Amino acid sequence: MSPLARISSAFEPRFAEFAFEPAFTAAVDQHVAEIRDRLSAMPSGLVPSPPRREDLTDYALGFLDALDEMDWREPVGHDYAVCRLTAISWLARQYFLEAEPDPDGVA
């Protein structure tokens, strides 16, 4: 399973909280914008281009490594890491980046 698929599997269930947690929704939206900015996925137009799978995967792995070094454990509520991982999950889901591409190019 790809790193993006693992993160999505763990954090996509938090999308349901968007319906009744507007502060969480806003925080995740800010994290999405920050990740796009870090990955330079913003074109000159108004509609953001999708992040590249490789870039988002590398970013996600680096973030997970930092969390492992801190011995982070997912809290019941929403901390910075939950918001960031939910944002990574949202980007992966939004742009269909969860699955690893087929190396032979066959669907």
Side-chain angles (χ1 to χ4, degrees), residues 36-95:
R36 282 186 169 147
D37 188 47
R38 283 180 180 245
L39 300 180
S40 301
M42 248 347 199
S44 59
L46 295 175
V47 179
S49 61
R52 291 176 2 126
R53 173 183 283 111
E54 297 81 14
D55 294 340
L56 187 59
T57 299
D58 288 347
Y59 177 81
L61 288 172
F63 191 73
L64 291 172
D65 285 347
L67 291 177
D68 283 344
E69 287 177 16
M70 295 173 21
D71 197 30
W72 177 81
R73 299 290 175 249
E74 185 177 352
V76 174
H78 312 118
D79 66 358
Y80 179 90
V82 166
C83 291
R84 187 57 57 125
L85 291 166
T86 303
I88 291 168
S89 177
W90 188 89
L91 284 165
R93 174 81 179 252
Q94 179 72 18
Y95 295 109

